[in-house]
Amino acid sequence: AVISDQFLIMFSKVVLALALTASAANASTDTDRARSKSPGRHVQGEGLRDIRNKLNAALENAYNNLVPCENMTLGEVYDVLETLHSARDHALEVIYQETDDSRRLAANGVKSHKIETLKAHWAREAHIVEANPQLHDVARDGKCHDAVMWFTHHVPDERKNELFESGALEVMPKLPVNEMPHTTGPFYGNTNQAAVEYVFNNYGAGLSCGIAHAADQTITTNTEANVWPDSLSYSATGYGAFPFWDNTGAGCTYCDPSVDTPSSLKVKYDATQNSELLMHSSCGDMSWTGDSNAPNGSPCNHIFNSTYGAFIYTPVNALEPEADGEFCCRTFSAGDSNFPGAVPTNWMQSMNYWGSNTGFEGDYYSGEIKIYWYTMGGIDFWYYEDIDGNPVEQGEGCQYPGVGEKTACAYTLPIMLWHDYDPDTFVAESHTVDEFEVPEVCLATTVSCSAPGGSVGHGYGHAAAGHQIDHSQPISAAARAAFSRR
């Protein structure tokens, strides 16, 4: 697994309590809080950014000498950690060890309460950052998360103020307030990948603190995103290559990585029939399939049928379902564990809810958006809703663009692609079985165009060189949705 999988894991299978003062969550002693699995309501939040802001506010209300993480260097945060370690109560660490609680002391993913072991990992990280200074802020931000967690969960309340009053702890960092968490995408191709993995291993572990403070204590999903109707249709404007893979190995030799030319997309979706049809006005060069009739700048449709599998075929007319009988290739086998049919209606709830942001400008909507985000295999996935919960945009690529201008990824990196939903066309409506009928040319095809994660041959493209997605591992609902919806 590549480092982005580790970054994803930080948001899953973690149960973490936090209480910043003796009054939090009715915990009367440090030991009670250490054994507790429920954070106080005052430090729970809706989305990771809201959680971060509440945690920082709770710190500011209780203590002085706090400084923004961004104002400190990595070395200065190491010094804070060493001071906190010397002031900790080992009995609290013992409690965390009993249940392998994620509050255990660790450095760069290695759990240990011994300062010598921790400092050895810090020294290795410092050496890596010295050689790769572009990773400094990632490493520092991860250590700021460690510092807040150690201060909160390992230093007894009575010693916290003593540290400040004695001068032993001159400053204490707050949690970093970057607009979005760091992701590995921007470092592919320009930074030693072993260095990226090592630094992000700690950064991801440090951020695990945040997800446990979601108001509903949900670990692997969010409950903020609106679930889609069981059956619907919509149109959208798409950017980036489709298909975004070929059979030439990591990267995509036949893909055009540019994002300047829009295309049209029409979708029919029915969860009750477990089927989906995506009609593209323009598809890229698919001559790599070996079929002389493969599309190259012409329309194609991608149909998902739980009984027969998934196929790309050429239509008689653009954005219409009727096949011309000239070309069809199989992207997924029937019953494929990763793509059994239509994606779930709640696929977006498998993503991390970050919060809202302003300044978005799209083809159909401009204004404040809710941000859902996910990363896997060096690919960032995002999904935006307006404040009322209506779909705005869905995309994926080598890096998360936020509300800024999107730019193409290099040829060796994951393709940047997205589509903006046309809100006037996003409607709940029923579909007949005939609308998802697999064309005869597809039922008879022997041509393979296996998509990433599929079991038909080998499909590549959505990964940096040497970092293709592990086809043997289950793909999340968010990734499945991204793969199928383009």
Side-chain angles (χ1 to χ4, degrees):
V2 298
I3 185 58
S4 285
D5 293 302
Q6 176 66 30
F7 190 69
L8 171 63
I9 290 170
M10 74 184 184
F11 294 106
S12 63
K13 300 179 181 177
V14 175
V15 179
L16 170 62
L18 179 68
L20 290 170
T21 69
S23 62
N26 297 318
S28 59
T29 68
D30 298 303
T31 301
D32 290 339
R33 290 195 298 273
R35 296 191 183 281
S36 173
K37 300 295 183 180
S38 299
R41 296 297 299 179
H42 69 301
V43 288
Q44 294 180 13
E46 300 292 340
L48 296 177
R49 185 165 58 181
D50 183 43
I51 292 166
R52 175 202 66 197
N53 292 341
K54 287 186 175 181
L55 295 177
N56 277 340
L59 280 170
E60 291 167 346
N61 289 337
Y63 304 101
N64 298 317
N65 296 56
L66 299 172
V67 298
C69 175
E70 292 78 6
N71 291 358
M72 300 186 70
T73 66
L74 177 60
E76 289 171 336
V77 184
Y78 287 147
D79 291 341
V80 170
L81 287 168
E82 188 167 0
T83 299
L84 295 176
H85 188 278
S86 66
R88 72 189 181 92
D89 183 349
H90 182 67
L92 300 177
E93 170 71 7
V94 172
I95 293 173
Y96 303 139
Q97 290 178 1
E98 290 174 355
T99 58
D100 197 24
D101 194 297
S102 62
R103 288 171 288 182
R104 290 182 59 184
L105 293 171
N108 299 80
V110 177
K111 298 174 182 177
S112 177
H113 67 276
K114 297 180 178 180
I115 190 62
E116 296 81 7
T117 301
L118 299 172
K119 290 179 69 173
H121 284 282
W122 297 343
R124 180 183 176 189
E125 182 180 53
H127 179 73
I128 288 173
V129 170
E130 183 179 6
N132 302 272
Q134 61 271 37
L135 290 171
H136 174 273
D137 289 357
V138 181
R140 179 205 58 207
D141 290 358
K143 289 300 180 289
C144 286
H145 279 274
D146 287 349
V148 171
M149 194 277 284
W150 288 20
F151 180 79
T152 302
H153 296 295
H154 288 268
V155 179
D157 284 338
E158 63 181 17
R159 296 184 193 172
K160 289 183 171 78
N161 283 319
E162 290 177 3
L163 287 173
F164 290 122
E165 293 170 357
S166 67
L169 187 62
E170 295 182 359
V171 293
M172 174 69 197
K174 295 185 289 186
L175 295 173
V177 293
N178 41 309
E179 192 60 34
M180 282 291 289
H182 299 289
T183 59
T184 57
F187 300 100
Y188 280 120
N190 60 12
T191 307
N192 179 278
Q193 292 308 297
V196 173
E197 180 169 348
Y198 191 81
V199 171
F200 269 86
N201 195 40
N202 180 74
Y203 177 69
L207 281 183
S208 66
C209 165
I211 193 61
H213 291 264
D216 62 357
Q217 288 293 280
T218 299
I219 302 302
T220 58
T221 64
N222 74 81
T223 57
E224 179 70 20
N226 276 357
V227 175
W228 280 6
D230 287 339
S231 183
L232 59 86
S233 298
Y234 70 85
S235 296
T237 299
Y239 296 86
F242 182 83
F244 44 81
W245 69 90
D246 58 20
N247 62 355
T248 61
C252 185
T253 303
Y254 286 81
C255 296
D256 179 0
S258 67
V259 294
D260 300 324
T261 304
S263 61
S264 297
L265 174 72
K266 289 183 66 175
V267 176
K268 296 182 178 183
Y269 167 89
D270 196 313
T272 60
Q273 297 187 53
N274 204 17
S275 297
E276 194 166 2
L277 175 63
L278 299 96
M279 295 169 280
H280 299 265
S281 65
S282 179
C283 293
D285 182 2
M286 295 189 69
S287 60
W288 52 272
T289 62
D291 192 308
S292 60
N293 293 319
N296 184 359
S298 53
C300 73
N301 296 345
H302 199 182
I303 188 168
F304 291 79
N305 182 293
S306 61
T307 301
Y308 295 103
F311 306 86
I312 293 176
Y313 68 90
T314 48
V316 174
N317 297 306
L319 304 178
E320 294 185 3
E322 184 181 359
D324 64 8
E326 297 295 322
F327 171 83
C328 185
C329 61
R330 180 184 290 274
T331 55
F332 295 99
S333 296
D336 190 291
S337 60
N338 283 326
F339 289 82
V343 296
T345 58
N346 65 340
W347 65 268
M348 68 295 293
Q349 291 190 336
S350 68
M351 307 178 85
N352 304 302
Y353 175 51
W354 176 250
S356 62
N357 203 351
T358 58
F360 175 82
E361 295 185 4
D363 288 353
Y364 303 98
Y365 172 82
S366 296
E368 188 172 2
I369 56 171
K370 295 179 180 180
I371 297 173
Y372 306 91
W373 153 85
Y374 172 90
T375 185
M376 186 186 75
I379 309 166
D380 286 305
F381 302 91
W382 66 91
Y383 175 69
Y384 299 155
E385 294 176 331
D386 65 20
I387 296 304
D388 295 324
N390 301 307
V392 170
E393 183 178 283
Q394 177 190 333
E396 60 201 89
C398 62
Q399 57 184 304
Y400 172 74
V403 297
E405 181 181 358
K406 302 174 184 69
T407 57
C409 301
Y411 269 102
T412 57
L413 299 182
I415 299 295
M416 177 70 75
L417 63 155
W418 73 94
H419 67 253
D420 281 11
Y421 295 90
D422 180 350
D424 293 335
T425 66
F426 193 91
V427 294
E429 61 180 13
S430 60
H431 297 293
T432 66
V433 174
D434 292 343
E435 291 180 85
F436 301 106
E437 182 178 1
V438 176
E440 290 293 333
V441 65
C442 295
L443 295 177
T445 190
T446 58
V447 180
S448 173
C449 51
S450 182
S455 58
V456 183
H458 297 283
Y460 298 95
H462 245 308
H467 290 276
Q468 57 262 26
I469 292 171
D470 183 355
H471 293 186
S472 68
Q473 298 300 315
I475 292 181
S476 75
R480 286 176 49 201
F483 289 152
S484 67
R485 311 214 75 72
R486 290 293 293 123

